[in-house]
Amino acid sequence: QVQLVESGGGLVQPGGSLRLSCTASGRTLSTFTMAWFRQAPGKDREYVAGIRYPGASTYYADSVKGRFTISRDTAKNTVYLQMNSLKPEDTGVYYCAATFRRLITSQVRDITEFNYWGQGTQVTVSS
């Protein structure tokens, strides 16, 4: 069993930055494909970024490409999402997700491929 706990959310002004963390217990994250999803009020949960196992290839939604960076620290069993140049449309609850299945590139953005989820952390971008 894997437990994921997100942290780092908060209120930030447009153009600001936040770094989200997702720490795992129960199993090492180095053998998981990890992803971040987000959900705005009244909208479906959507893919944001992913980092694949094996290897460490990273993938991003077009809406965040060039602004967000996903990374993994195996020593801390933690995955990060560095978010820069934040926009009001980035507002939502951000969820960390994990799967031990080996995915092809197109599957990394598929919400149905992930079977472990954190509780979410709120990110609000507003002036």
Side-chain angles (χ1 to χ4, degrees):
Q1 188 70 9
V2 175
Q3 291 81 41
L4 303 175
V5 178
E6 302 99 333
S7 61
L11 173 65
V12 63
Q13 292 186 342
S17 298
L18 282 175
R19 189 178 77 159
L20 305 183
S21 300
C22 172
T23 301
S25 61
R27 191 164 170 177
T28 176
L29 285 183
S30 63
T31 59
F32 279 73
T33 289
M34 304 294 298
W36 288 92
F37 292 80
R38 66 187 181 190
Q39 187 166 19
K43 294 188 176 181
D44 292 336
R45 196 171 297 187
E46 65 174 5
Y47 167 79
V48 175
I51 184 166
R52 197 170 63 175
Y53 174 84
S57 298
T58 57
Y59 309 92
Y60 300 93
D62 289 343
S63 59
V64 308
K65 201 171 293 182
R67 300 188 297 122
F68 290 12
T69 303
I70 187 172
S71 62
R72 190 201 312 259
D73 186 333
T74 55
K76 296 183 178 180
N77 217 29
T78 298
V79 172
Y80 301 99
L81 184 68
Q82 177 67 44
M83 305 187 295
N84 300 327
S85 302
L86 282 161
K87 306 175 181 180
E89 51 264 43
D90 294 318
T91 294
V93 178
Y94 282 68
Y95 297 92
C96 175
T99 179
F100 54 77
R101 299 203 301 263
R102 298 196 175 190
L103 306 180
I104 61 175
T105 300
S106 61
Q107 292 174 314
V108 175
R109 61 183 63 230
D110 186 347
I111 193 171
T112 65
E113 295 290 348
F114 293 86
N115 48 347
Y116 297 104
W117 291 85
Q119 82 290 347
T121 185
Q122 176 71 45
V123 172
T124 303
V125 185
S126 175
S127 54

